[in-house]
Amino acid sequence: MSDRDRLDAGACQDPLLDASGLVAGYGATEVLHGVSLCAGEGEVVSLVGRNGAGKTTTLRSIVGTVTPTAGRVTFAGEDVTDLSAEKTVRRNVAFVPEERRIFPGLTVLENLRVGQLGGGETTQRRDPEEILAEFENLRDHPDRRGGALSGGEQQMLAIARALVAGADLLLLDEPTEGLAPFIVRQVEELVRGLNDDGISVLLVEQNVEVALELADRHYVLDRGEIVYHGTSEQLRNDEDVMDRHLGVTTN
Ligand SMILES: Nc1ncnc2c1ncn2[C@@H]1O[C@H](COP(=O)(O)OP(=O)(O)OP(=O)(O)O)[C@@H](O)[C@H]1O
Ligand SMILES: [Mg+2]
């Protein structure tokens, strides 16, 4: 298959999320030069690429904290390109940013209650206590302050909070960054479990192994362009892409 065919194969039928031709940047600097990707209902899709490739900028353009100068974003068929981040989040899209942004001074349970403020009119908000029960690492200390949690627990709290608002699509920005390997496994299990419950995920990762483990399909971003699209098996076996765009040497 040529690279072009692979990119075409990246088109989804009836996508939950469809981003096409996104051009975006900061001030006069263009970072994304026409990024297209989609995620179907129930899918886990990854966006991988090196430092500075534009992964976070892609997520920001999807949720609307960065306004694309060209391109279109639809969610469940509805054009959300010009909606503010707040309104996009109210369309059942939850964004867990790199910085995690939990409230360090609030307890675990209070952090989850804040999450209930998100979501749209049609969202099925979920009970914070019910969500908490699903999170092994958090459920035993609902009264612990966010700031006293480990990095892994904070990541899980950030994901749990996104879920309280009743998200259909979770955008995760490097959820395993800086975590010890055994915590990485726990985050993987968590994401897998959420997906089993029907939540679609767009996973940004620099850790290609985690992406290969979790996602069905992968988009590779390099300098603001999608340079490859394929299944886990295709990507794993493509030494050239792994080496050239991801800096992973396979042998
Ligand atoms: N708020 C900002 N203002 C100006 N430039 C920015 C801003 N955020 C990112 N950039 C620049 O945009 C480019 C893409 O950054 P982005 O954060 O999207 O990459 P990334 O793929 O998420 O990288 P990383 O793996 O380091 O998180 C980089 O050159 C970065 O310096
Ligand atoms: Mg980033």
Side-chain angles (χ1 to χ4, degrees):
M1 220 197 282
S2 71
D3 277 359
R4 174 49 50 193
D5 288 341
R6 272 192 213 294
L7 290 177
D8 290 344
C12 303
Q13 283 200 319
D14 249 350
L16 185 60
L17 170 73
D18 193 13
S20 67
L22 293 180
V23 176
Y26 306 93
T29 315
E30 189 179 293
V31 173
L32 305 182
H33 313 296
V35 167
S36 300
L37 56 81
C38 58
E41 211 155 303
E43 260 195 317
V44 180
V45 173
S46 95
L47 178 64
V48 286
R50 288 189 167 123
N51 255 324
K55 302 180 298 295
T56 298
T57 305
T58 303
L59 294 186
R60 288 182 186 146
S61 305
I62 290 170
V63 295
T65 49
V66 163
T67 307
T69 52
R72 189 161 176 261
V73 180
T74 66
F75 181 70
E78 185 190 358
D79 195 327
V80 297
T81 321
D82 295 325
L83 290 187
S84 65
E86 190 201 319
K87 290 208 168 112
T88 308
V89 169
R90 288 180 185 285
R91 292 290 185 283
N92 305 359
V93 182
F95 179 29
V96 181
E98 264 169 314
E99 319 82 56
R100 289 169 199 156
R101 284 205 216 127
I102 57 143
F103 296 101
L106 299 184
T107 67
V108 166
L109 198 54
E110 285 165 349
N111 265 280
L112 295 182
R113 292 203 179 111
V114 171
Q116 272 191 310
L117 302 174
E121 296 95 56
T122 57
T123 352
Q124 304 251 321
R125 282 189 193 73
R126 297 188 56 197
D127 178 25
E129 271 146 51
E130 183 192 304
I131 296 268
L132 196 55
E134 294 173 28
F135 285 70
E136 242 176 82
N137 304 58
L138 300 175
R139 65 183 171 210
D140 294 334
H141 31 252
D143 299 323
R144 191 167 293 172
R145 297 208 178 272
L149 301 175
S150 70
E153 289 164 342
Q154 290 192 11
Q155 182 62 57
M156 293 187 199
L157 180 57
I159 295 174
R161 194 181 53 187
L163 292 177
V164 167
D168 297 324
L169 175 72
L170 204 50
L171 309 180
L172 298 177
D173 198 352
E174 306 213 29
T176 67
E177 199 195 359
L179 302 183
F182 81 100
I183 310 280
V184 170
R185 298 289 94 76
Q186 291 178 1
V187 172
E188 282 176 354
E189 244 171 70
L190 176 65
V191 173
R192 220 175 274 123
L194 299 176
N195 183 241
D196 288 344
D197 290 343
I199 293 171
S200 310
V201 181
L202 174 58
L203 171 73
V204 160
E205 265 297 340
Q206 246 189 84
N207 185 335
V208 181
E209 273 312 313
V210 172
L212 286 169
E213 188 60 40
L214 282 178
D216 312 300
R217 293 189 298 118
H218 310 270
Y219 294 91
V220 177
L221 188 67
D222 196 349
R223 278 163 276 182
E225 287 179 50
I226 301 285
V227 292
Y228 180 88
H229 167 264
T231 63
S232 290
E233 203 192 335
Q234 287 165 340
L235 178 57
R236 202 187 289 278
N237 293 315
D238 199 321
E239 288 177 28
D240 183 47
V241 170
M242 292 283 267
D243 181 42
R244 203 148 43 109
H245 302 295
L246 300 170
V248 180
T249 310
T250 49
N251 46 34

